[in-house]
Amino acid sequence: MTQTQNDTHWITEGLTVESALEHVYAKNGFHQEFVISKDSLRELAQRFRSREYFLECLSVVDYPDHFECCYQFNRWDKIHRVLVKVRNPDKTHPHFPTLSDIYEGANWYEREGYDFFGVIFDNHPHLTRLLLPETAKIHPMRKDFKGDSGTDVEDVLALIEYEDHQYEKVSQELKNKYQKDYFINMGPQHPSTHGVLRLLLHLDGERVLETYPVIGYSHRDHERMAEYKNYLQFTPNMGRMDYVGAMSFNFGYIGLIEKALGMAPSPRAEYIRVFSTELNRIASHLLWLGTYLLDLGAMTPFFYCFDDRENILDMLEMLTGERLTYNFFRFGGVAYDVPEGLGDQLKAFIPKMRGRLKDYKILIEKNIIFMKRTKEIGVLTKDQALSYGVTGPMLRACGIAYDIRKAEPYSIYPEMNFEIPTFPGCDTFARYQVRLAEIEQSLRIAEQAFAKMPEGPIKGEKAPKVSPKVPAGEFYFAVESARGHYGEYLVANGSANPYRLKQRTPSYANLSSLSSMLSGHLVADVVAVLGSTDVVMPEIDR
Amino acid sequence: MNELFRIILSLVIVIGFVLINSLVLVWLERKVSARIQLRRGPLYVGWFGLLQTFADALKMLGKELIFPKNCDKVLYFLAPILSFAPVLGAFLVIPFGQHLVIQDLNIGLLLVFAFSGLSFIGIFMAGWASNNKYSLLGGMRSVAQNISYEIPLLLSSLNIVMMAKSFRLSDIVRAQAHVPFILLQPLAFIIFITSALAESNRTPFDIPEAESELVAGFHTEYSGLRFGIFFISEYTYVFISSCVATALFLGGSHGPFLSGWAWFLMKAYFVVFVVMWVRWTLPRLRSDQLITFAWKVLIPLSLFNIICTALALQLLKQ
Amino acid sequence: MSYITNIFTGFWSVLAGMVVTLKYMFRKPVTEVYPRVKKPMFPRFKGPTSFVVDEKTGDHRCISCELCVKICPSLCITLEKERGEDKKFHLKEYKVDYTLCSLCSLCIEVCPTDALTHAKDYEIPALSQSEMINDFLKPFREKQKTSQPVAP
Ligand code: SF4
Ligand code: SF4
């Protein structure tokens, strides 16, 4: 897919460009690259914003002689990925201009940059740590960081003391400031925050005035782990990030390395990959559906969904040997071939699942209480979605048909016959509709992929036996995970392990839009809206 | 003296019945929910797991009773008792059989509503005394809900009173010797069941304890036996509501072949089953929608129903 | 008018939902009664890693090449070897810490002699972490003890 970028002079017109590069999209996933000066960045971002580009990702990279902020801008309708780099040679506390007032999604990315690298974004409204605790004294993604020096116990004690102190200070301040309002901590131990998410709700009675998501409780720094391990050793980590839809993450990482190596998997492996990923996507949506109804107070659909999901997991276990944290894809292929009996199970499952979907429609979608609870709740407008970089079913519920499987097709998706369901509601009900329609589409894809699967080896000819060495360069590869655009930005330096592997996870951007969806709603709606974003915390915290 | 002795004896029987009954109800709930959800439910303790609830109750008895930090100890202690005691009082007037009734008062129906209306005070106290924001929200919600749903509950049973021309429950049952009132008053029955569901804080109206929003609502801070009392009182309340519904709409102890109390219990348990069935089907309403539903749908409908009943009665009289 | 139709459709939707749940009530339960009835595992089930017992020799197949130790992302394999009289390496100790193992099966795939496999056992609870460190050579040592004649 090559595109001609002949009319892109508006991007840098009149700005100080240090260097510009035309990339070959098929080779490393970017169309264009610019290195610009710090002062021109905000002007450039404004241009992108006014032309409906969304901020796809912001990765900070620590090079030996400078820090670099890599902003990726992209479009929904016509893929045009522009990599914009800003450099700062200050190695202690480099300053960069903030974009958080232009792109609200940049807020969290910049806080993460501060957290991991100690990069300071000037004029950021709330530049505090995001994933690490407030008391941490380290910037773990810097290249000169050599492991944790402090003892764990002391750190924890310091944190407790800090939180106590902070709590007293803040509560005193709040008492003086607000007479009527109060604050409630929803999570991290709460039945419906889906893992360990903490929402600090500022309430007036039951009405939400403001929401502050606090994340990082299951942070493990997969990005740093990637730098320590070689390319093969990092594969098991993929299943641990989005544990609900681990196949797509497998796909993303393996696809990235294959792209960087310029290698294609064997044809049979492609089909195995696609149908297992689609089955996993269905399983993920079913888990979402069940827990979402649980959030709304209906317990029974949860069990029906889990029954269906169990069927899928059985099939995937037959195929991969694992039920949840799959580590199934290998460079140039997959780990195992399709076992006997899987085809029969799949053939039996697909009509059963279609029948179940009808039951779900009657039981859930047509139900007046469900409709009352979800319609016109948690509205996210198109413009907000753009500003936050929301992707996946949440974006498609705004009526925008942006799906990586069609927008920048990878693997054998171009051969598959399927649609991208979109609904114009922008609310939680539309998100429900999108996901249910996607189950149907995924069934179609899985059916086709399984039927068309050719005979042959499951690993490509050039598949590396040991961990490969990726040639130096920068690569980006995106897949459509069950939650949206999952992309990886790899900076390779030709050695056995990545120099920097930035994970652009979909829930991260989706969750950051939560506070804008919630204000004015009731406490009961908080769980309804949070549930509809379908967050998976380990994927956000990484 | 004789009368006093009779009342004390019946109270003891009632308490025993309530305990055993709630054990059975909890078992029933587990089984019904399990079957609806393609599960098996309790299987091994006792016959088909009948004694599972008993085992759980024993476990609950063995737990330490905790007072949370900064709670209002007196209210915290009183709340479960206050929510349980009124339910017992309501048993006084339920006509389990032709003559199986402890005190056949002429204002029996009112007494039931009066007692059941008290139980939310216990819930609100629990919410207030626990010193927990979730509990407080739950308590506040419960007050709003109970006040709203008391009205349609009363209004819908007023139809029956008009038709039977008595507040005495045994009279109402007697009036249904041939035709149960559910056939004459289907709308009133639906309104009654809906409001009774709301009064007993069960899905889809369980907003005071909505576990996905408020963790466990008013009983977040309760554990052990105190939690058990809340639990039992909820189930007993469901049972009382079903008994009243049976007496008002389903013809009470009337029925062929079997003796009166057997029919009564069968009907009451059937209503309980329907209540459970509803619970395991529907999602939960939001608190404002719940109140809107009471004031904008149930109350107008029941008023309309009363007018229709009155007109029909007048027409028939002439 | 829409007020009344709304009430009717709402009521109807509730009834329709209840019919669905009633239908499911008479279906067969899908849950397993686990500890009493055990489900057979799929052939590819990934239990804890363990040594393959060679059919011919009755011994393990490990040649102490340490490839598995190098590939393991969780660093949970400890291997000790010694050079025997025949100039070949002999395995002295092979331990895997299951508290760390992520069951990724990279060690199994890398092994040149297919010495490793996933066991099909899934009930491996332990009371302490030290119990989770499995000595792979233990069964083989025990076998040697029983089969070798005791020295007089
Ligand atoms: S399965 Fe993976 S983690 Fe476990 S010992 Fe083998 S290589 Fe290491
Ligand atoms: S890779 Fe196989 S042969 Fe080599 S040390 Fe490991 S188990 Fe032994």
Side-chain angles (χ1 to χ4, degrees):
Chain A
M1 233 186 76
T2 48
Q3 287 176 7
T4 47
Q5 277 86 40
N6 43 17
D7 54 345
T8 53
H9 58 272
W10 56 266
I11 298 178
T12 50
E13 207 180 354
L15 298 178
T16 16
V17 180
E18 285 165 18
S19 72
L21 215 62
E22 289 278 324
H23 277 294
V24 185
Y25 172 77
K27 192 169 160 287
N28 52 7
F30 295 107
H31 292 105
Q32 278 174 305
E33 178 187 322
F34 300 102
V35 180
I36 59 163
S37 75
K38 236 167 59 173
D39 314 319
S40 332
L41 178 67
R42 284 178 58 84
E43 169 61 27
L44 187 103
Q46 243 134 14
R47 288 181 192 179
F48 278 122
R49 179 79 163 85
S50 62
R51 280 184 171 76
E52 297 214 327
Y53 278 65
F54 70 99
L55 178 64
E56 196 169 59
C57 186
L58 156 58
S59 7
V60 186
V61 188
D62 179 5
Y63 286 107
D65 53 350
H66 60 269
F67 276 104
E68 192 174 88
C69 279
C70 312
Y71 299 83
Q72 285 172 33
F73 298 94
N74 200 349
R75 292 178 67 93
W76 288 325
D77 42 1
K78 191 164 141 263
I79 291 300
H80 180 214
R81 185 170 290 124
V82 186
L83 180 66
V84 176
K85 290 179 173 175
V86 187
R87 290 182 178 147
N88 192 331
D90 179 359
K91 287 294 282 182
T92 48
H93 279 297
H95 288 254
F96 287 95
T98 180
L99 294 189
S100 54
D101 51 339
I102 303 168
Y103 284 102
E104 283 166 276
N107 191 320
W108 277 18
Y109 287 123
E110 288 175 359
R111 278 177 69 187
E112 185 186 321
Y114 167 71
D115 198 357
F116 285 171
F117 291 93
V119 174
I120 297 192
F121 291 90
D122 299 327
N123 297 330
H124 187 285
H126 188 64
L127 195 65
T128 49
R129 290 195 180 259
L130 183 69
L131 294 169
L132 296 183
E134 269 303 295
T135 48
K137 294 177 203 78
I138 50 174
H139 297 295
M141 291 293 290
R142 284 191 176 191
K143 286 286 171 191
D144 56 7
F145 172 71
K146 294 271 177 284
D148 198 351
S149 52
T151 51
D152 285 351
V153 181
E154 271 167 25
D155 278 352
V156 172
L157 288 180
L159 181 64
I160 292 172
E161 201 171 300
Y162 173 84
E163 295 228 314
D164 273 357
H165 182 70
Q166 206 66 3
Y167 177 78
E168 237 142 65
K169 208 176 94 196
V170 171
S171 63
Q172 205 41 257
E173 266 172 30
L174 292 174
K175 246 180 218 158
N176 299 338
K177 197 167 164 200
Y178 305 103
Q179 307 288 325
K180 213 169 90 201
D181 317 350
Y182 67 106
F183 285 75
I184 206 166
N185 249 325
M186 209 171 204
Q189 292 93 2
H190 187 279
S192 41
T193 50
H194 298 269
V196 278
L197 164 67
R198 177 171 142 211
L199 295 177
L200 188 58
L201 301 177
H202 177 184
L203 297 177
D204 172 14
E206 276 215 37
R207 208 158 280 283
V208 180
L209 299 176
E210 204 106 29
T211 323
Y212 311 95
V214 182
I215 60 172
Y217 289 91
S218 50
H219 173 58
R220 290 151 294 175
D221 216 343
H222 282 289
E223 288 170 15
R224 183 69 179 175
M225 261 188 242
E227 290 170 20
Y228 278 122
K229 291 177 180 178
N230 65 29
Y231 287 100
L232 182 59
Q233 282 178 331
F234 190 59
T235 50
N237 285 45
M238 303 320 293
R240 270 79 183 170
M241 266 187 262
D242 181 354
Y243 58 86
V244 183
M247 282 290 186
S248 335
F249 273 55
N250 268 289
F251 215 142
Y253 178 67
I254 301 291
L256 171 79
I257 306 299
E258 278 169 1
K259 185 173 201 166
L261 292 173
M263 169 184 73
S266 79
R268 187 176 171 84
E270 294 262 36
Y271 285 84
I272 298 178
R273 283 179 181 186
V274 166
F275 89 76
S276 58
T277 308
E278 292 306 320
L279 283 180
N280 196 219
R281 189 189 311 275
I282 301 171
S284 165
H285 282 339
L286 282 173
L287 183 101
W288 169 80
L289 182 62
T291 49
Y292 186 51
L293 266 290
L294 202 60
D295 288 349
L296 294 180
M299 183 109 56
T300 303
F302 177 75
F303 287 90
Y304 299 164
C305 294
F306 266 62
D307 177 27
D308 292 336
R309 184 170 173 266
E310 205 66 10
N311 286 329
I312 297 176
L313 293 193
D314 274 352
M315 281 188 276
L316 290 180
E317 190 186 355
M318 273 170 88
L319 180 66
T320 69
E322 291 150 314
R323 291 179 82 81
L324 203 62
T325 50
Y326 309 108
N327 175 27
F328 177 56
F329 291 15
R330 299 285 183 272
F331 303 126
V334 290
Y336 310 108
D337 204 348
V338 177
E340 233 175 84
L342 183 68
D344 300 336
Q345 280 220 14
L346 192 68
K347 268 182 202 109
F349 170 75
I350 287 173
K352 185 182 161 225
M353 188 64 224
R354 290 200 168 121
R356 276 293 176 85
L357 282 177
K358 281 189 195 114
D359 279 352
Y360 293 152
K361 284 231 162 79
I362 302 172
L363 186 62
I364 301 165
E365 189 173 329
K366 295 260 160 62
N367 189 294
I368 178 118
I369 301 179
F370 180 77
M371 282 203 267
K372 287 255 174 217
R373 282 299 302 276
T374 51
K375 278 202 173 152
E376 277 153 46
I377 298 294
V379 175
L380 183 77
T381 59
K382 208 173 137 181
D383 190 56
Q384 280 173 326
L386 180 87
S387 171
Y388 280 105
V390 168
T391 49
M394 276 182 77
L395 182 66
R396 294 194 278 277
C398 301
I400 296 156
Y402 175 68
D403 186 319
I404 316 270
R405 288 174 294 176
K406 287 265 192 207
E408 33 183 336
Y410 53 97
S411 191
I412 50 153
Y413 281 110
E415 294 170 30
M416 299 288 129
N417 181 13
F418 69 103
E419 285 144 28
I420 307 171
T422 58
F423 289 87
C426 300
D427 53 5
T428 54
F429 189 69
R431 284 167 213 149
Y432 160 87
Q433 285 175 309
V434 167
R435 292 204 176 94
L436 237 70
E438 271 182 22
I439 294 182
E440 174 58 39
Q441 297 304 325
S442 290
L443 282 175
R444 275 176 68 189
I445 302 175
E447 205 173 16
Q448 290 170 40
F450 197 85
K452 286 189 193 162
M453 189 163 52
E455 292 297 320
I458 53 163
K459 280 201 180 146
E461 282 152 29
K462 288 198 288 175
K465 290 271 179 319
V466 291
S467 181
K469 280 203 169 77
V470 173
E474 286 161 34
F475 306 93
Y476 190 84
F477 183 66
V479 294
E480 184 72 20
S481 91
R483 268 148 283 278
H485 177 129
Y486 168 59
E488 278 157 307
Y489 173 60
L490 170 70
V491 181
N493 58 358
S495 71
N497 31 19
Y499 186 77
R500 171 93 168 98
L501 184 68
K502 165 78 188 168
Q503 316 269 346
R504 191 265 182 221
T505 54
S507 299
Y508 188 82
N510 293 0
L511 183 69
S512 69
S513 71
L514 183 72
S515 42
S516 72
M517 286 191 281
L518 271 181
S519 46
H521 286 319
L522 297 176
V523 174
D525 294 327
V526 174
V527 290
V529 175
L530 174 64
S532 78
T533 59
D534 189 15
V535 289
V536 170
M537 289 318 289
E539 177 213 290
I540 296 172
D541 294 343
R542 304 192 299 277
Chain B
M1 196 60 217
N2 206 357
E3 185 65 18
L4 191 68
F5 176 71
R6 205 174 75 93
I7 287 186
I8 290 175
L9 182 71
S10 21
L11 255 184
V12 171
I13 293 176
V14 161
I15 291 182
F17 176 74
V18 161
L19 291 179
I20 292 173
N21 185 47
S22 43
L23 291 189
V24 173
L25 284 184
V26 174
W27 174 80
L28 193 70
E29 173 108 299
R30 286 175 160 187
K31 275 293 188 197
V32 168
S33 64
R35 293 315 301 239
I36 285 182
Q37 296 167 351
L38 303 174
R39 293 183 290 123
R40 286 163 212 261
L43 273 184
Y44 295 116
V45 189
W47 186 68
F48 279 106
L50 247 177
L51 291 182
Q52 181 70 48
T53 335
F54 187 68
D56 290 348
L58 272 186
K59 181 202 76 179
M60 226 179 251
L61 278 179
K63 297 227 164 158
E64 188 190 348
L65 294 176
I66 307 166
F67 280 109
K69 199 173 158 191
N70 292 341
C71 73
D72 187 329
K73 281 204 176 139
V74 182
L75 292 187
Y76 183 83
F77 172 77
L78 276 180
I81 302 172
L82 261 185
S83 85
F84 183 54
V87 187
L88 284 184
F91 270 96
L92 266 181
V93 291
I94 304 285
F96 286 99
Q98 220 96 66
H99 305 289
L100 258 176
V101 49
I102 302 168
Q103 269 294 353
D104 201 4
L105 296 174
N106 56 358
I107 49 152
L109 190 58
L110 285 186
L111 192 91
V112 175
F113 289 139
F115 273 128
S116 60
L118 277 179
S119 67
F120 82 87
I121 295 181
I123 292 179
F124 182 62
M125 267 166 66
W128 175 258
S130 310
N131 189 28
N132 177 322
K133 285 171 188 164
Y134 289 121
S135 304
L136 184 62
L137 278 180
M140 284 179 349
R141 285 173 170 197
S142 118
V143 174
Q145 182 187 16
N146 272 273
I147 289 173
S148 315
Y149 278 85
E150 215 68 329
I151 302 165
L153 193 71
L154 269 169
L155 285 182
S156 59
S157 45
L158 220 53
N159 294 305
I160 306 302
V161 175
M162 280 156 70
M163 289 176 77
K165 299 186 182 59
S166 169
F167 275 108
R168 194 191 293 270
L169 280 170
S170 58
D171 283 351
I172 295 174
V173 171
R174 215 165 291 132
Q176 307 177 59
H178 303 295
V179 190
F181 281 151
I182 184 175
L183 298 179
L184 303 176
Q185 294 283 3
L187 184 60
F189 178 70
I190 291 166
I191 295 173
F192 184 89
I193 288 287
T194 317
S195 332
L197 268 177
E199 285 276 285
S200 50
N201 299 334
R202 288 175 67 85
T203 321
F205 306 107
D206 63 341
I207 54 162
E209 47 179 314
E211 79 267 4
S212 57
E213 299 151 21
L214 301 184
V215 188
F218 64 90
H219 59 64
T220 308
E221 295 288 350
Y222 280 87
S223 61
L225 191 57
R226 296 208 180 99
F227 166 73
I229 292 177
F230 274 125
F231 205 63
I232 288 179
S233 81
E234 181 190 323
Y235 278 95
T236 317
Y237 195 89
V238 171
F239 185 69
I240 287 282
S241 308
S242 318
C243 286
V244 177
T246 312
L248 290 186
F249 293 98
L250 299 180
S253 48
H254 288 295
F257 311 124
L258 296 172
S259 62
W261 61 269
W263 271 110
F264 190 92
L265 280 187
M266 265 167 55
K267 287 172 183 172
Y269 274 112
F270 178 72
V271 178
V272 169
F273 166 73
V274 172
V275 168
M276 287 173 182
W277 180 16
V278 169
R279 171 176 182 177
W280 296 110
T281 306
L282 298 179
R284 178 187 307 124
L285 278 165
R286 210 170 61 205
S287 43
D288 61 326
Q289 290 165 348
L290 188 92
I291 310 246
T292 320
F293 181 60
W295 290 96
K296 288 201 178 152
V297 178
L298 288 185
I299 293 179
L301 274 185
S302 45
L303 285 174
F304 170 74
N305 201 17
I306 283 183
I307 294 169
C308 288
T309 316
L311 281 179
L313 284 176
Q314 273 303 325
L315 286 178
L316 284 179
K317 218 167 147 195
Q318 277 160 12
Chain C
M1 200 57 218
S2 73
Y3 171 77
I4 295 172
T5 46
N6 270 354
I7 291 179
F8 264 100
T9 47
F11 184 68
W12 192 246
S13 72
V14 169
L15 276 192
M18 284 176 69
V19 169
V20 172
T21 42
L22 192 70
K23 207 171 74 193
Y24 276 84
M25 199 164 169
F26 296 104
R27 296 223 176 138
K28 222 170 132 263
V30 292
T31 45
E32 318 269 339
V33 270
Y34 158 60
R36 292 173 201 242
V37 181
K38 279 181 192 151
K39 221 177 141 184
M41 287 292 117
F42 292 111
R44 282 179 194 166
F45 170 72
K46 289 190 179 177
T49 52
S50 58
F51 269 152
V52 173
V53 183
D54 196 282
E55 279 160 25
K56 283 188 208 125
T57 59
D59 204 357
H60 60 78
R61 295 191 198 138
C62 179
I63 50 166
S64 318
C65 66
E66 293 203 20
L67 278 179
C68 54
V69 182
K70 275 182 205 129
I71 195 73
C72 177
S74 318
L75 310 176
C76 59
I77 307 176
T78 27
L79 187 147
E80 271 179 43
K81 57 186 178 182
E82 56 185 5
R83 202 181 277 271
E85 287 141 26
D86 49 354
K87 294 274 157 62
K88 271 188 192 163
F89 282 118
H90 286 286
L91 196 60
K92 222 173 113 195
E93 191 171 76
Y94 193 101
K95 282 184 179 165
V96 171
D97 187 349
Y98 286 151
T99 56
L100 299 178
C101 173
S102 51
L103 298 175
C104 61
S105 48
L106 289 183
C107 54
I108 294 172
E109 278 164 36
V110 82
C111 179
T113 55
D114 289 337
L116 290 166
T117 182
H118 281 298
K120 295 287 164 279
D121 185 15
Y122 54 92
E123 291 170 322
I124 48 159
L127 289 175
S128 66
Q129 288 199 359
S130 57
E131 284 172 57
M132 295 297 276
I133 299 174
N134 195 359
D135 188 353
F136 279 19
L137 288 179
K138 208 168 151 204
F140 297 101
R141 276 198 214 107
E142 273 163 16
K143 210 185 272 167
Q144 265 177 5
K145 250 185 222 154
T146 47
S147 59
Q148 271 175 13
V150 185

